[in-house]
Amino acid sequence: GLVIYATYADLGGLAREICDTRLPPGTGWLAKRVAIPLASLHAGANLQVFRPVDHVAKLAGRPLFLIHGTRDQMIPIAHARALYAAAPGPRRLIELDADHNAIIDDEPTARAAAEFFDAPAAER
């Protein structure tokens, strides 16, 4: 199985959104055309087309547990919802009233994840 904390469904889309909406005027254009391609070179992969949402269906039969904060200012909750919608199951999405980093120390969610994976497959 897989536990996913506050991740993206489409890295290129997220990067473009950040460039268009969060960077000072004029710098978003530069970031899209220079910074993202440089980061791709550094990573050894084209980050503009990296879309986990297109691959989550391959988890068929493997449990998927997603945790995301509804107030996440880095990665919008829509990314977690898209991954959840694309996953064939068994799956669970917990949306916490938290920002990007606050979800890491949430003990009830950690217990829920353990219970999810400890449950017999028929109960997930």
Side-chain angles (χ1 to χ4, degrees), residues 5 21 72 75 80 85 94 97 103 107 110:
Y5 276 87
T21 63
D72 191 326
I75 303 170
I94 292 186
D97 181 25
I103 67 170
E107 286 297 321

Side-chain angles (χ1 to χ4, degrees), residues 98-110:
D99 64 19
H100 186 75
N101 292 318
I103 67 170
I104 294 171
D105 293 327
D106 189 81
E107 286 297 321
T109 302

Side-chain angles (χ1 to χ4, degrees), residues 1-7 63-67 92 109-110 113-114 116-117:
L2 185 63
V3 175
I4 299 176
Y5 276 87
T7 196
L64 174 65
F65 193 91
L66 297 147
I67 306 156
R92 180 156 182 212
T109 302
F116 176 77
F117 287 103

Side-chain angles (χ1 to χ4, degrees), residues 11 36-50:
L11 182 57
I36 296 172
L38 283 176
S40 293
L41 277 174
H42 180 71
N46 184 351
L47 300 178
Q48 295 181 30
V49 298
F50 187 67

Side-chain angles (χ1 to χ4, degrees), residues 21-114:
T21 63
R22 300 184 198 172
L23 297 180
T27 60
W29 180 90
L30 184 63
K32 282 191 279 190
R33 284 155 185 83
V34 177
I36 296 172
L38 283 176
S40 293
L41 277 174
H42 180 71
N46 184 351
L47 300 178
Q48 295 181 30
V49 298
F50 187 67
R51 293 176 40 89
V53 71
D54 294 338
H55 303 283
V56 74
K58 295 177 186 171
L59 295 173
R62 295 181 189 94
L64 174 65
F65 193 91
L66 297 147
I67 306 156
H68 208 104
T70 57
R71 294 183 289 116
D72 191 326
Q73 294 179 331
M74 295 178 69
I75 303 170
I77 187 72
H79 285 262
R81 292 172 181 158
L83 286 168
Y84 179 81
R91 67 197 178 174
R92 180 156 182 212
L93 169 61
I94 292 186
E95 296 182 14
L96 298 175
D97 181 25
D99 64 19
H100 186 75
N101 292 318
I103 67 170
I104 294 171
D105 293 327
D106 189 81
E107 286 297 321
T109 302
R111 282 192 298 278

